Amino acid sequence: MFYLVSTLNCADADAFIKSVGALPQEFLDEWGIAENNVYRSVDENVAIIVNGYKTLEAAQKHQAELDKPELRAQHKEQLGVDSYDLLLVDRRVAR
């Protein structure tokens, strides 16, 4: 399993998380997302999304799409996301 971890600095993390929670299953399926977990930072307006993918290719495809400048601009305009970082990781290798 491969995971794409996104940390998003938001104007309103709670509103962003609510909008992400409303995504239809069909959207997740289109991107090959097998697991979807969303967290909120305790002290900041930061949302953390951890998506799991069965293949590296599916994770890389989604990461490439999210890295596009026009999509970043759209996230800022429509969802109040000031900035975000993406990290692609493999399965857990240590405890």
Side-chain angles (χ1 to χ4, degrees):
M1 192 75 108
F2 300 90
Y3 298 92
L4 183 57
V5 180
S6 309
T7 57
L8 305 101
N9 298 302
C10 305
D12 183 345
D14 294 324
F16 175 80
I17 290 168
K18 184 177 179 181
S19 69
V20 170
L23 291 172
Q25 184 62 44
E26 294 80 27
F27 174 85
L28 302 176
D29 293 342
E30 280 180 37
W31 287 104
I33 300 171
E35 295 177 19
N36 175 256
N37 296 289
V38 182
Y39 305 91
R40 187 192 191 293
S41 173
V42 174
D43 296 328
E44 302 173 28
N45 267 339
V46 175
I48 301 156
I49 301 174
V50 181
N51 287 329
Y53 306 81
K54 291 182 182 177
T55 68
L56 178 58
E57 293 76 19
Q60 289 172 324
K61 178 181 175 188
H62 198 188
Q63 181 182 24
E65 185 67 24
L66 291 170
D67 265 339
K68 291 182 176 177
E70 58 271 17
L71 192 60
R72 286 181 179 264
Q74 181 181 4
H75 284 151
K76 182 170 182 70
E77 180 183 323
Q78 295 178 355
L79 301 172
V81 176
D82 296 321
S83 64
Y84 54 87
D85 295 308
L86 303 170
L87 180 64
L88 186 56
V89 299
D90 201 342
R91 62 178 170 71
R92 180 173 50 174
V93 294
R95 286 188 172 252

